[in-house]
Amino acid sequence: MSTEPTLKRRTLLKLLTASSLAPAALPGRAGAFPARREPGLRRSGRLGAEAVEELPSICDLCFWRCGILVQVRDGRIVRVRGNPDHPRSKGRLCARGNAGRHMVDHPDRLSAPLLRVGERGEGKWKRISWDQALDLWAEKTRQAIAEHGPGSIGLFSHGLASRFMNAFMLHLGNPNRAAPSFGQCRGPRDVGFQLTFGDGPGSPERHDMARSRMIVLLGCHIGENVQTGQVAEFAEALSRGARLVVADPRMSVAASKADRWLPIRPGTDTALLLAWIHVLLAEESYDRDYIQRHSIGIDSIRRAVRPCTPAWASEVTQLPREAIVEEARWMARHRPAVLIHCGRFSAWYGNDTQRARAMAILTALLGAWGRPGGYFLRSRIPLGPRACPPPHGEMDESAASGRHAFTHFGVAAQEIVEASIGPRARIKQWVFYADNLAQSHPDFRRIKEAMRRVDFITMVDIWPTEGALWADLILPEASYLERHGDVYAVEDHPRPFVALRQPAIPPRCEAKEPYWIAQQLAHRLGHTDCFTQPDVTGYLDARLAPLGIGYEELARKGIHQLDEQQPFLPECSAHRFATPSGKIELFSSTLESKGHDPIPRFEAVEQPEPGWYRLLSGRSPYHTGARTQNLSRLARQAPQNSLWINADEARAKGLRSGDLVYLENQDGFRTGPIAILATAAIRSDAVFMVHGFGSRSPAMRFAHAKGISDNLLSSRYAADGPTGGTGFRVNFVQLVDREGKEIGGTSERSLREREAYPKASDLAPAPDLPDPSAAKPRADEAGEKKPLDGKKPQKKAEDSPGVFQVKPEDSC
């Protein structure tokens, strides 16, 4: 039964665009920086009436990696502006990119190696030298490998700076590497598309959005994450009349501009996708020539989705049947220039690879893969060898072995966490590399237990995050404006290009570049076949050699574009896809061989009881996860988060916007307070907050205790079968007061929206769908799940983190 109207397009608002070796054998020993060529000729520029030096580089405050020009005067960065020569960002720069320079001289920065002298979690260290730090790290690493193998080291990493350390761990034969970009963001999505097309959608994604005639967003919040090039292409498409449809429980910024907002019931997106596929096949309105030429499995898909009628999907999703049919017909009219946007944050409910598969199959039926207005094809860029050669022998055992077959980047983080706990734990050492587990991975209680048990923890970062409170050894890394990165090769663009991140100024205090840090560890362990160039500029020269350019030329230009390659499929000839069959695989025998459904099917997820709300989270245009809240310029714009709640629900509870409440989740974890935003722009069975707030590190003085952490309330997760991606959206919260008493009241709308899924005996469900009325709540793989009703043991949201007793600025 449909309970929500659909909303038509509002007036379009203009989008803002924007074995150890002797010291002499170690190149660049810790006592001094290695000799290094200066970056290429610095451009001259102006800041007001004054002359400045200007260096091209790339931003590092989100994955879009916009081109920047860094202006320097008297050895200080005075401004960062967008680089108009960058093919994607074209001179645009968001608030984060503009404010990034303030992390360079930030008083809270880590500035010297630190060794723990108190208990883990207590926050007490002493300053040591780099040689002492690196010798200790190498000793602990050598011991772990000798006793337990290279897979006994768990690496948690994030961002381009961690590539060198990841390369070394891979060289050692260590598969136990985790990154939130895989486990929470792209893993299930990329695998779903790879299984279908033989390639993922790219990063940034290969959307030909500016030429799309129709754009479909499912839980994707364009504009709120401010990826400048994407926002500009989105605005261009809408200005040219592209139809926009948004399926989202919340009216996001993008949904406010939609021709139709579909306030879908959380957890039912796959049902909607299957119904759209059903309509295209039943009405024979799909791209038959494209499917016949390029794909296999259409008959299997047709049989599988026959029961997935719009009427069935309407009952499951609580969307009008007519709206479901109408949008499928709009897609058929506008194909192939229809973009089924793949999104980025894809780990939701534990069935996420199959949802991505449904998106990919719908894309194929519309003929939109490798076609203008849909997805363009990957280009290829020839580069020289990486910093470390492949492993000499077999890889060590993966922590995910036997559970998740499709982990093309290491493993999901919880696999390392669980393999660090218990009498048979095989992970003995952890490395945090620019990854803050307290904010990026679920069930922090299990993470804390694991951190208490592992033998040694090393952290490499810029900021003293929560991980610093638990680390045995802390190493300060240079900021993105003070370091080189590996060659940034952008194959996900019609005209491929390479870009360079280079230091505008030397690293402050005792911070070091990532190449140097990884090199020092590798050579102390006797792996002199890694990082063979004395410094990173020599490595970059070798990397760029196949392109006929060198480091100095790229440092001077910042960007080097290659000739345009063929971004689209040939119209009148066959194309071999990188799948086992060489075709688009609508039916995946690869999935079937691993024990998974070869065709997507809808799986019911647990729904909240009255008085409880599904916890949803998203992004702020002023912040990048939890990485930027400590920058005062950004914190002033968005100092903390608020809680979106349906206006009818708030009214039933006697609440108004601005009132402060506490939140308690299904496992009894409570945090707060947080101000509510009562709005009609969200369903009544869900609440929403921006992710990344509520830092628990006292050393992060601008971010500490500002807002609340959605991650703290994510004490359970649902692991995606193929990838192990951790679905966060299986957590429920209730509103309580300071003493923990529930703030009562439930609207009639909420009671309707919490109706059970239709039973199999009432409507035709997807093939082999179990009776949802008999479905049990998804188990928390990290521990016993607590019931949503009844009395729950009261827990503190987090142990007191202690005091950071070595201030970073004191060591500089």
Side-chain angles (χ1 to χ4, degrees):
M1 177 177 64
S2 173
T3 63
E4 291 278 6
T6 59
L7 300 185
K8 299 296 183 180
R9 174 177 291 184
R10 295 182 174 186
T11 303
L12 177 63
L13 301 176
K14 185 176 182 180
L15 287 173
L16 180 64
T17 52
S19 79
S20 64
L21 303 179
L26 285 168
R29 191 68 175 163
F33 285 100
R36 181 174 71 199
R37 286 170 293 177
E38 284 295 319
L41 294 175
R42 295 176 181 245
R43 307 175 180 181
S44 60
R46 303 200 70 81
L47 181 62
E50 298 187 30
V52 293
E53 294 178 316
E54 194 167 70
L55 234 71
S57 191
I58 52 175
C59 188
D60 193 39
L61 290 179
C62 83
F63 75 91
W64 201 262
R65 301 185 178 107
C66 297
I68 56 175
L69 296 174
V70 186
Q71 296 184 343
V72 179
R73 184 178 61 224
D74 299 329
R76 295 180 63 86
I77 298 172
V78 293
R79 185 189 179 197
V80 177
R81 66 185 184 96
N83 186 351
D85 296 333
H86 192 279
R88 280 194 180 274
S89 55
K90 300 178 181 178
R92 305 178 189 93
L93 199 60
C94 72
R96 297 166 297 185
N98 278 282
R101 69 184 179 91
H102 295 289
M103 71 171 56
V104 172
D105 293 313
H106 199 286
D108 293 347
R109 268 191 69 175
L110 293 170
S111 57
L114 301 174
L115 179 67
R116 178 176 60 83
V117 294
E119 296 296 322
R120 283 187 185 155
E122 192 176 6
K124 294 180 180 180
W125 299 272
K126 68 176 181 179
R127 179 179 172 176
I128 61 175
S129 71
W130 267 102
D131 279 334
Q132 289 173 308
L134 291 165
D135 289 344
L136 176 60
W137 191 12
E139 176 190 347
K140 295 293 185 179
T141 302
R142 185 183 300 107
Q143 180 181 352
I145 294 173
E147 295 179 3
H148 308 286
S152 64
I153 302 169
L155 172 63
F156 303 88
S157 67
H158 186 67
L160 285 181
S162 68
R163 283 190 178 180
F164 297 118
M165 189 58 64
N166 267 288
F168 179 54
M169 290 295 166
L170 183 62
H171 170 80
L172 293 175
N174 181 11
N176 295 319
R177 299 165 291 115
S181 56
F182 177 84
Q184 281 77 57
C185 292
R186 295 164 31 212
R189 181 203 76 174
D190 287 1
V191 168
F193 274 71
Q194 288 168 355
L195 288 165
T196 308
F197 299 112
D199 198 5
S203 177
E205 293 71 28
R206 298 192 302 277
H207 298 147
D208 192 26
M209 191 183 305
R211 286 187 282 189
S212 298
R213 298 177 61 199
M214 183 174 181
I215 300 169
V216 180
L217 306 179
L218 292 95
C220 177
H221 309 146
I222 293 178
E224 297 179 13
N225 43 19
V226 190
Q227 296 140 11
T228 57
Q230 180 174 237
V231 170
E233 292 168 3
F234 181 59
E236 182 179 347
L238 297 188
S239 68
R240 295 174 57 186
R243 181 173 182 81
L244 175 63
V245 177
V246 179
D248 197 318
R250 178 180 67 97
M251 181 182 277
S252 62
V253 170
S256 72
K257 306 174 191 314
D259 293 277
R260 176 173 272 140
W261 172 42
L262 299 171
I264 190 170
R265 189 184 203 183
T268 64
D269 304 76
T270 302
L272 176 61
L273 290 162
L274 293 173
W276 280 339
I277 293 170
H278 172 101
V279 173
L280 293 177
L281 294 175
E283 298 183 351
E284 296 291 329
S285 57
Y286 66 98
D287 193 327
R288 284 173 287 183
D289 178 66
Y290 181 96
I291 291 298
Q292 183 177 0
R293 187 191 313 163
H294 294 301
S295 77
I296 60 171
I298 185 63
D299 292 336
S300 298
I301 291 290
R302 195 184 298 274
R303 289 192 298 270
V305 301
R306 190 172 291 125
C308 303
T309 65
W312 165 77
S314 176
E315 292 290 333
V316 171
T317 63
Q318 298 183 336
L319 299 173
R321 175 192 175 280
E322 296 77 13
I324 296 172
V325 174
E326 184 178 340
E327 295 310 324
R329 290 173 177 167
W330 274 110
M331 293 179 209
R333 286 190 206 109
H334 289 315
R335 67 171 172 83
V338 180
L339 178 62
I340 309 299
H341 197 295
C342 62
R344 189 165 181 92
F345 170 43
S346 65
W348 295 358
Y349 303 106
N351 51 12
D352 306 300
T353 295
Q354 294 292 10
R355 186 183 71 254
R357 278 269 293 150
M359 296 169 71
I361 291 168
L362 180 57
T363 295
L365 292 175
L366 296 167
W369 183 266
R371 304 282 282 279
Y375 289 81
F376 54 84
L377 303 178
R378 184 191 299 272
S379 301
R380 298 297 175 188
I381 299 177
L383 292 174
R386 294 187 179 275
C388 291
H392 297 304
E394 295 183 358
M395 295 291 286
D396 203 351
E397 182 182 356
S398 167
S401 179
R403 285 186 298 282
H404 309 294
F406 302 94
T407 53
H408 61 270
F409 181 94
V411 299
Q414 78 275 4
E415 302 294 338
I416 297 178
V417 171
E418 293 304 313
S420 305
I421 299 173
R424 302 182 64 182
R426 60 181 309 272
I427 304 291
K428 302 297 182 179
Q429 183 180 146
W430 281 12
V431 179
F432 303 147
Y433 205 114
D435 186 9
N436 182 7
L437 265 68
Q439 292 284 9
S440 61
H441 300 283
D443 199 356
F444 194 61
R445 57 184 171 173
R446 293 293 280 181
I447 294 172
K448 284 198 303 178
E449 182 178 351
M451 288 192 296
R452 292 189 180 105
R453 293 173 180 265
V454 293
D455 295 339
F456 198 72
I457 300 174
T458 302
M459 183 180 113
V460 184
D461 211 320
I462 300 168
W463 297 111
T465 65
E466 288 91 332
L469 301 170
W470 295 85
D472 300 294
L473 180 66
I474 300 174
L475 304 178
E477 187 186 51
S479 75
Y480 74 98
L481 296 169
E482 305 164 315
R483 69 180 183 230
H484 291 91
D486 203 343
V487 173
Y488 181 44
V490 182
E491 297 179 326
D492 301 317
H493 193 269
R495 187 178 175 191
F497 64 94
V498 294
L500 178 68
R501 173 171 296 131
Q502 60 178 320
I505 58 174
R508 291 291 194 246
C509 304
E510 296 185 50
K512 304 289 188 181
E513 291 203 42
Y515 180 93
W516 186 88
I517 295 172
Q519 180 192 61
Q520 295 295 305
L521 177 63
H523 289 195
R524 278 173 166 78
L525 292 172
H527 291 268
T528 54
D529 54 343
C530 293
F531 311 104
T532 56
Q533 297 292 335
D535 65 83
V536 67
T537 59
Y539 163 73
L540 294 171
D541 263 336
R543 227 23 200 136
L544 293 166
L547 298 177
I549 63 171
Y551 165 76
E552 290 187 357
E553 181 180 350
L554 188 56
R556 183 171 58 253
K557 298 192 304 184
I559 293 161
H560 175 74
Q561 281 202 280
L562 285 68
D563 293 334
E564 182 170 325
Q565 301 180 21
Q566 176 53 263
F568 301 115
L569 293 172
E571 286 296 329
C572 301
S573 60
H575 174 84
R576 180 163 184 83
F577 294 81
T579 58
S581 66
K583 299 278 190 177
I584 297 171
E585 297 194 351
L586 308 178
F587 179 100
S588 176
S589 56
T590 304
L591 271 174
E592 187 177 44
S593 70
K594 300 297 184 180
H596 300 291
D597 291 317
I599 296 173
R601 65 183 180 93
F602 171 67
E603 298 178 46
V605 300
E606 181 186 2
Q607 295 295 330
E609 297 294 330
W612 291 84
Y613 305 89
R614 186 179 301 279
L615 178 62
L616 306 176
S617 63
R619 299 288 191 177
S620 162
Y622 293 107
H623 293 295
T624 302
R627 296 172 60 197
T628 56
Q629 280 82 355
N630 209 45
L631 293 176
S632 60
R633 303 236 172 168
L634 296 175
R636 284 198 289 267
Q637 300 298 322
Q640 55 191 0
N641 49 5
S642 59
L643 184 75
W644 292 42
I645 185 171
N646 181 269
D648 291 343
E649 286 292 283
R651 192 176 302 111
K653 296 178 182 295
L655 297 172
R656 295 182 298 178
S657 290
D659 287 348
L660 298 178
V661 300
Y662 290 73
L663 298 179
E664 185 177 64
N665 80 348
Q666 70 281 338
D667 294 325
F669 288 90
R670 187 194 311 161
T671 187
I674 186 171
I676 72 163
L677 173 65
T679 174
I682 191 169
R683 286 174 54 98
S684 63
D685 53 356
V687 292
F688 170 87
M689 68 176 71
V690 171
H691 167 74
F693 288 89
S695 169
R696 283 155 279 158
S697 173
M700 303 278 282
R701 285 174 286 182
F702 290 96
H704 180 236
K706 300 296 194 307
I708 69 172
S709 171
D710 62 301
N711 213 61
L712 195 61
L713 296 165
S714 299
S715 55
R716 69 175 183 175
Y717 59 87
D720 179 63
T723 68
T726 45
F728 279 46
R729 294 182 176 179
V730 295
N731 289 277
F732 304 123
V733 296
Q734 62 177 344
L735 277 61
V736 299
D737 61 19
R738 184 188 297 270
E739 284 71 38
K741 182 179 179 181
E742 180 183 0
I743 302 174
T746 303
S747 67
E748 292 184 8
R749 178 189 296 275
S750 176
L751 295 175
R752 292 197 304 270
E753 290 184 345
R754 296 159 197 265
E755 291 176 350
Y757 291 106
K759 293 183 179 180
S761 58
D762 299 332
L763 291 167
D768 303 321
L769 177 67
D771 180 355
S773 64
K776 295 181 179 180
R778 186 177 300 277
D780 177 0
E781 293 190 7
E784 180 182 354
K785 179 190 173 296
K786 308 298 190 300
L788 292 184
D789 53 0
K791 294 184 178 180
K792 299 168 289 300
Q794 180 60 46
K795 302 179 180 68
K796 293 182 179 180
E798 175 55 47
D799 294 339
S800 176
V803 178
F804 196 98
Q805 294 193 358
V806 175
K807 297 181 180 180
E809 65 268 28
D810 291 343
S811 61
C812 182

